[in-house]
Amino acid sequence: MTTAIMTRQHTPALLREVVEALAVRPGGRYVDCTLGGGGHAEAILEAASPDGELLGIDLDPDALAATRQRLAAFGDRVAFVEGNFSRVGDLCRERGFAPVQGVLFDLGLSSLQLEEESRGFSFQREGPLDMRFSPRQGPTAADIVNTYSQEELADLLWRYGEERQSRRVARRLIEERPFRTTTQLAKAVEQAVGRRARGAIHPATKTFQALRIAVNQELMHLEAALVQAHGLLGFGARLVVISYHSLEDRTVKDFLRQEARDCVCPPGVPVCVCGHRATLRLVARGAVRPSPTEVAANPRARSARLRVAERLPSAAV
Ligand SMILES: C[S@@+](CC[C@H](N)C(=O)[O-])C[C@H]1O[C@@H](n2cnc3c(N)ncnc32)[C@H](O)[C@@H]1O
């Protein structure tokens, strides 16, 4: 699998925008929480030359092995950590890598993972129904589809896939299981919801997204990771997150907005009782989106939304 991964490359989304948003400078210390193919990491290390450092984290040992080779020329300016970004604060402190000047999350999966049929992420490629970012972690997509109750499956498809026909799909899955492969599942979903109009997304897109989020507990880890990353930021440091679907983006937006406010009391409370003080400044009000030129060259970037915030100097880290 590693050989296959090394022969292809993932095209990083919003590359120039990431380096700008992080305000990368020579000598700075940066964390890439989603190292993947190393495209963003390479650009950060170049912009931080000659002595800036980067710690790269990924759950996927194959991605780490390939990217270690790609970034070998940077020598000991780069460190590689196999782990979950939900522990980014601990992983960095254990290595004496704190505080930092910037933390990057480029969420979701890489095109290398999507295109590797043995990983089971794609409904267009026949493969085992796996979808784990790490082979060392818990249940696979097959385990979930083949063991959850109809209600649990419908709930999962509704919550994580925003699938409007969640009940109908869940019923079909219960009737047809056990499922072993991606294409077997994709076909069953297509039969349940029917073909969508030309130009619309594939009928199985939402089901696959929902399963991937559940298998990897993506939203739970993201929430924990944002808190940990925030705690690593030195004064003036930047937190940059690229998300690819509305559930991720909402989690990021809510966190950043909350941390950028002085008071988080519920509406209607006449006098502030929370005592919360803003620790972040939103660098861009909304999300940065890829240009039409980028989307034409790299269609997978089309749903990317970048959000960036800066650590305020007032509060203690
Ligand atoms: C979109 S790719 C990153 C691509 C990278 N920015 C590049 O330029 O090649 C996302 C990566 O995050 C990793 N990942 C996803 N969830 C993770 C988690 N909770 N902890 C660590 N890595 C994770 C995936 O394995 C994948 O390699």
Side-chain angles (χ1 to χ4, degrees), residues 26-267:
R29 206 189 244 171
Y30 302 91
V31 187
D32 184 344
C33 293
T34 48
L35 188 66
H40 285 126
E42 186 175 63
I44 294 166
L45 282 159
E46 276 164 5
S49 288
D51 52 350
E53 294 175 323
L54 181 133
L55 185 141
I57 300 171
D58 208 292
L59 268 172
D60 183 343
D62 287 331
L64 280 167
T67 301
R68 200 182 273 277
Q69 292 194 8
R70 174 175 183 176
L71 302 180
F74 293 100
D76 59 8
R77 289 178 54 204
V78 53
F80 302 88
V81 179
E82 184 183 335
N84 197 307
F85 60 47
S86 60
R87 293 190 56 240
V88 55
D90 305 328
L91 296 174
C92 287
R93 281 194 202 89
E94 281 161 13
R95 291 161 178 81
F97 204 82
V100 300
Q101 279 72 54
V103 180
L104 170 68
F105 293 88
D106 176 24
L107 300 169
L109 75 168
S110 72
S111 36
L112 304 180
Q113 291 167 324
L114 184 68
E115 285 162 15
E116 175 59 54
E117 38 288 277
S118 67
R119 305 298 295 268
F121 286 112
S122 171
F123 46 76
Q124 287 165 334
R125 291 166 189 265
E126 170 87 15
L129 208 44
D130 190 322
M131 302 198 195
R132 292 169 302 166
F133 287 134
S134 165
R136 300 185 230 286
Q137 78 190 17
T140 64
D143 294 331
I144 291 180
V145 176
N146 294 331
T147 61
Y148 273 31
S149 70
Q150 190 171 320
E151 290 69 31
E152 286 170 328
L153 278 176
D155 183 49
L156 183 151
L157 297 173
W158 175 256
R159 273 200 295 147
Y160 295 153
E162 299 182 296
E163 170 58 82
R164 281 197 266 161
Q165 304 199 56
S166 56
R167 286 172 197 279
R168 183 191 289 244
V169 176
R171 196 179 326 124
R172 185 80 187 206
L173 299 187
I174 296 288
E175 281 164 11
E176 289 211 16
R177 68 189 192 188
F179 289 93
R180 287 192 184 76
T181 69
T182 47
T183 46
Q184 187 192 0
L185 178 68
K187 201 186 273 172
V189 178
E190 193 171 335
Q191 281 162 358
V193 303
R195 286 174 186 275
R196 299 206 211 258
R198 261 183 67 171
I201 57 169
H202 186 283
T205 307
K206 293 177 176 199
T207 296
F208 273 62
Q209 172 185 304
L211 283 169
R212 200 199 78 211
I213 292 177
V215 165
N216 296 291
Q217 301 187 316
E218 291 181 30
L219 298 175
M220 186 187 85
H221 290 313
L222 176 59
E223 280 175 19
L226 291 170
V227 174
Q228 290 233 342
H230 176 263
L232 276 175
L233 300 174
F235 295 151
R238 297 281 180 94
L239 175 59
V240 176
V241 188
I242 307 178
S243 52
Y244 293 88
H245 57 77
S246 56
L247 298 171
E248 279 173 350
D249 189 51
R250 206 173 304 148
T251 305
V252 175
K253 190 170 66 180
D254 290 351
F255 177 81
L256 297 184
R257 286 201 177 149
Q258 161 118 345
E259 287 307 321
R261 281 170 59 183
D262 262 343
C263 166
V264 293
C265 287

Side-chain angles (χ1 to χ4, degrees), residues 8-19:
R8 291 182 255 119
Q9 279 211 344
H10 167 85
T11 306
L14 297 165
L15 185 60
R16 183 180 50 78
E17 291 84 349
V18 162
V19 175

